[in-house]
Amino acid sequence: EASATNWRSRRSEPRRADAVSSRAAGHERLLGLSGAVRRTVDRVVDRRAQRTYDEVTDLDVRGRPVAVLRYALDGRLQAATRLGWRPGTGPALAAPAAAVGAGDRLARSLGIAPVGRGVAERRGANGWTVRWDRLVGGVPVDGDGRRVQLWPDGTFHGLALS
């Protein structure tokens, strides 16, 4: 169980916030996220996970969060998600190979090169999860690697790197 003492968040200093926000705007275009009306940039210190990262929250015209992007301190995108239920309107991807291809193209457009063989799992109305497990000595480390979540039509829903 997490407690409030395991993490803390504070607004990033303006110059850093501007740089991170600019990076997020570029990634949003590549991910097909609609332009944010406003963004917040926070420096998050997660003591439990022993990580510090910059988190960008995109807000709509009513001030509601619509997307979250997380960056390592060196500027690398670590995670992103489109909030809310927004399955795409295009034709559904018909097979795992199509989902792996869509996930691979999306990751590469962000400068993230998937390693190894991608595996896609259909998640019903939630679309697809495509993952590339990290290998240690040729053995996959389950749950550790790169993961892209796609809506049924292959549009972006989420991304995580570990």
Side-chain angles (χ1 to χ4, degrees):
E1 182 175 308
S3 75
T5 60
N6 286 329
W7 64 273
R8 67 181 165 86
S9 173
R10 61 180 162 77
R11 293 281 182 245
S12 288
E13 59 115 55
R15 192 171 28 182
R16 174 133 184 106
D18 288 346
V20 174
S21 183
S22 177
R23 187 174 301 117
H27 285 138
E28 289 162 2
R29 281 190 297 279
L30 294 169
L31 294 170
L33 298 173
S34 57
V37 173
R38 188 167 65 87
R39 291 184 186 89
T40 63
V41 179
D42 295 303
R43 171 65 52 93
V44 178
V45 177
D46 183 339
R47 292 184 186 107
R48 173 173 254 155
Q50 298 180 353
R51 291 186 183 161
T52 300
Y53 52 86
D54 291 319
E55 186 170 272
V56 177
T57 303
D58 288 355
L59 305 168
D60 69 9
V61 70
R62 297 169 94 181
R64 296 176 300 198
V66 293
V68 177
L69 295 92
R70 212 173 257 183
Y71 292 90
L73 297 183
D74 65 5
R76 289 176 296 122
L77 180 65
Q78 294 293 296
T81 190
R82 178 190 315 248
L83 302 173
W85 184 257
R86 292 188 192 92
T89 57
L93 299 175
V100 169
D104 185 82
R105 284 188 300 279
L106 184 120
R108 290 180 189 282
S109 76
L110 298 166
I112 299 165
V115 178
R117 189 176 71 85
V119 176
E121 298 175 29
R122 187 182 301 258
R123 299 290 185 197
N126 293 323
W128 297 88
T129 295
V130 182
R131 66 175 166 52
W132 295 265
D133 291 332
R134 185 172 62 93
L135 300 176
V136 174
V139 178
V141 179
D142 193 33
D144 189 8
R146 292 164 166 78
R147 185 180 72 236
V148 174
Q149 294 169 271
L150 304 169
W151 288 111
D153 70 347
T155 54
F156 171 76
H157 186 204
L159 166 83
L161 288 79
S162 54

